[in-house]
Amino acid sequence: MLAAGGALVATSASAATPLRFDQLYGAWTVEGLRFSAEVEKLTGQEVAMRGFMAPPLKAEADFFVLSREPMALCPFCSSNADWPPDIVVVYLRRQATPVDATVPIETRGRLERGSWTDPATGFVSQLRLRDAAFRTV
Amino acid sequence: MRRLLATTALLGGLVAGLLPGAASAQTIFPINRAEILAGSRFDVKVEFAGVVARDALRVTLNGKPLDEAFGKAAEFVEREDGQAASSLVLRDAVLATPGRYVLQASDGQNTASVSWEVYAAPGQRRAQNVILFVGDGMTVANVTAARILSRGIEEGRYRSTLAMDNLPRMATVGTSGSDSIATDSANSAAAYNTGHKSAVNALNVYASRARGTLDHPKVETIASLVRRQLGMSIGIVTTAEIQDATPAAVFAHTRRRNDYIPITDQLLAAQPEVVMGGGSASFLPRSTPGSRRADERNMIDAFRQAGYVFGDSAESMTAAAADPNTRRLLGLFNLGNMDGALDRFYLRQGTVGRFPNQPDLTEQTRAALQVLSRNPAGFFLMVESGSIDKFNHPLDWERSVYETIMLDNALKVALDWAANRDDTLIVVVPDHNHGMSITGTVDDNRPGTEMREKVGVYEQAGFPNYPAADARGYPPRVDVSRRLAVFFANFPDYYETFRPHLEGPNVPAVAQQGQANRFMANERYREANPGGLLREGNIPRSNAQAVHTVDDVILRATGPGSERFQGFVDNTMVFRAMAEALGLGR
C-alpha cells in the first residue's frame, strides 16, 4: 500500500495521491495523535481525500472542514469540543457553494501539516488542504 | 450530550417581595427561597436596573447593613461590564448561624427582597464517606430494560434484581431549575453539588447578567466543603470527558458548560485526589494533534508536577491504584468521551479500535475506592455513567441500557466495598429524564412488510429472546429476532429502523444543506432498513437529537443519612442530605 502510493507520486507528480482518513494518523494515544508515514511523505504534495463537508457557517465559503463521517451537528455553532480529532481543514482556490453534509465529496489540494491557527476564525487545525477544489462523488 | 444552548444574558431568579410599581427592581442572588448550608461560601450579587448612586443604596440583611451582616465589604460596580447598570457584589459570603434571612435592596426608589433559609445538620456526623452515583439521563425505562436484559424475565417475574433495586430508600426528585421546568446536566448536577438551583448551562454559579462566563456569583460545592472543613478526599469518576457537565459540577464554576479549557484549568486548581474519565484533548498543548487547547500548556504534565500518578489505560490505572503510595491519581482514557459497554465488549464500534484499553466503570470505581480510602478522614466520590444520556439523546436505547447495566455493576462494587462498614452514604440518582419508554417487543417473525406491524403490543409483546447475560451482566447480542420496542416522546425528523445500530451509535438527524442549524432525517438509514419509518419530528428543527424531559426521576439510597430520602424531594435535597449525613454546618 505504502510502496504503491510512493510509486504513484514518483511517476506522476501532477496527479493527486489518494489519502484516506484512516491513513492520517499512525498512532492514537491519550497523549495525542502522531502523523502517519504517509502524511509525512505526502506533505507539500497534491492529495485527494474523500469525506464529508461539515456544515459551514456561510452560504458561500472558501474554507470548510472535511470530516470522515457526516457531522450531525454544526461544530461552529456549538463549541470546538464537538469536533472529532481527525478532521482536515480545506482552503478552496475559489469560493464555492457548500454541499449537503450527507453527500460524499472528493477534495484535491496540497497537503499541509502541523498546528496552525486560522487568522480569520481562530480555528486550530493540524492538517490542511491548500489551493483545493472539490466535487461530489 | 453537549447541546447548543442559547446563553441568555439575563436569567435572573424569581424575586418575591417586590414592592408595588417595582417593574424594574433589583435582581438578587442567591435567589428567593434559596436554601444555604451554614458555613458554606456563596457570592451575593444585587443587580440594579440602571446606574445608581452608591450613597442612595440601602442593602440590608435582616435589617443590618450588608457589610456589617457579613463582616466584609461589598464591591460596588457603577457600570457593570461598561453597561449603564450598577451592581453590588460580595464574594465568599458566609452565614454561620441557621435561620431565616431576608436581604432587602433599595436604590432609593425601588426595593426588592429575597428570603433565604440557612440550615445546618441536625446532628453529629454520621457518614464517614459519601458516594454519589449519577446515571446521566437515566429513565425508569432504562432501569426496566436493564433488568430485562441483564437479569431476564419469565412469566412476568424477573429471574433476579439489579443492585440498585435493593437499596432501601427511594424518592422521586424534581429536576427543574430557576429558569425553566426543563433542565440540563450542568444545572441539575450543580444542584446536587451545591444545594442551589440555577439555570440551564450553569455550573455552580447563579445566572447573572455578567458578560464573562466566569464572572457570575459562585456557590460552594460539597467537595470544596468536605475538604476545607473535614479534610476529606475527593474523587471524580466518569465515562464522559472529565470536563463534561456532571463531573465538572464537582469542582468548576462557570456560566457556560462548554468552557472546557477553563474547566480543565479549574480542575488542576481544585486538585481532587482521584480524577478518571475521558477528555484528554483539553489537556494537550495546542501543537499536539488531538489537542483542543489554545495555548501550549501540557496539563497532564502539570498534574504530574502536582504529585499525580497518570494512567492512560485500564492496566496503568489499576497498577497505580494498587501502589500503596498512590494518593493522587489522574486517569484519562480517551481524547473524547469513553466508549460505551456495548461497543467496548461486543460490537467494537466507536473509538474502541483506537483506544482498546479503556477501563470499565467498575474498574474505575474499584481503583478510586482503593486510593480514596487511604485518607482516614473519609472521602466524597462522584461516579457518573455519562453515556446513558449520550445514547438516549440520539435515540440509541440499546447503548443507553448497556450503560445503565454498567452503572449498576459499578454500584455493586461500591456496595460490596461498603458492605461491612455502615459508615458510607450511597446515593444513586439520574440528573434529568428522557422521553424513553418501552412499548412491547419487535418480533421479526410477525407478518407484514412494514416494521411497525411487527411491534407486539399487550399480549402480542410476550417476552424478548435476548440470550442470557454473560458473567459481566450483559447479553452478548442485541440483534435478536424478538427485541424490546422502545420509543421516545420527543425526536427530530428521523428514520425509525426498529433495529439496533450495530454499525455504530445512531445519528438520527443531520444538518440541512446551507442551514447549519436546521436538521433533517439522516438518509443513511433509509435504504438499509426496508420497512422502516420516517418519523416527522415534534420539536423545533434546530434540534438534531431528542431533548431532556421534565418528569421526576427516581433516587435510590442506602447508608447513614439515606432516610432523608422519601416521597418527593427537590434536587437540592441531594446536597442537603449529604451535608447532613456529614454533620456539616454545625
Side-chain angles (χ1 to χ4, degrees), chain A residues 27-72:
Chain A
W28 287 70
T29 75
V30 166
E31 294 191 73
L33 286 61
R34 278 189 284 281
F35 294 120
S36 65
E38 287 93 330
V39 163
E40 305 258 348
K41 193 175 61 190
L42 292 171
T43 298
Q45 298 183 27
E46 192 84 354
V47 299
M49 290 196 68
R50 290 190 174 201
F52 298 88
M53 184 184 293
L57 269 184
K58 295 185 294 183
E60 287 283 315
D62 56 5
F63 164 93
F64 70 89
V65 170
L66 189 71
S67 62
R68 180 193 187 110
E69 301 287 340
M71 293 291 295

Side-chain angles (χ1 to χ4, degrees), chain A residues 30 33 68 72 77 86 102 126, chain B residues 4 280 289 335 354 510 519:
Chain A
V30 166
L33 286 61
R68 180 193 187 110
C77 314
D86 59 339
T102 59
Q126 298 292 339
Chain B
L4 177 64
S280 68
L335 284 164
R354 292 166 179 168
V510 294
F519 295 90

Side-chain angles (χ1 to χ4, degrees), chain B residues 344-472:
Chain B
R344 275 186 294 113
F345 291 135
Y346 307 103
L347 300 178
R348 316 296 297 175
Q349 298 294 333
T351 63
V352 173
R354 292 166 179 168
F355 300 100
N357 301 314
Q358 301 170 71
D360 188 63
L361 191 63
T362 52
E363 298 170 283
Q364 292 170 262
T365 303
R366 200 173 286 118
L369 290 170
Q370 206 169 5
V371 174
L372 294 171
S373 58
R374 292 182 182 131
N375 181 353
F379 62 81
F380 168 70
L381 169 62
M382 195 288 297
V383 179
E384 184 204 22
S385 182
S387 292
I388 300 173
D389 177 69
K390 293 184 195 309
F391 293 132
N392 276 338
H393 272 294
L395 318 171
D396 198 328
W397 72 265
E398 281 95 346
R399 284 183 169 81
S400 78
V401 169
Y402 273 56
E403 300 307 283
T404 307
I405 296 171
M406 184 179 69
L407 175 72
D408 198 65
N409 290 344
L411 170 66
K412 177 73 165 48
V413 170
L415 290 171
D416 288 349
W417 180 87
N420 299 314
R421 304 179 60 105
D422 198 31
D423 68 350
T424 301
L425 170 63
I426 299 178
V427 179
V428 186
V429 64
D431 53 352
H432 56 75
N433 206 33
H434 274 276
M436 171 193 184
S437 196
I438 306 169
T439 293
T441 59
V442 179
D443 189 342
D444 288 335
N445 295 317
R446 286 176 59 81
T449 50
E450 286 180 281
M451 286 304 293
R452 62 184 290 185
E453 298 302 331
K454 297 177 185 293
V455 174
V457 300
Y458 298 110
E459 70 273 25
Q460 275 85 34
F463 298 95
N465 60 356
Y466 296 100
D470 60 20
R472 295 186 184 105

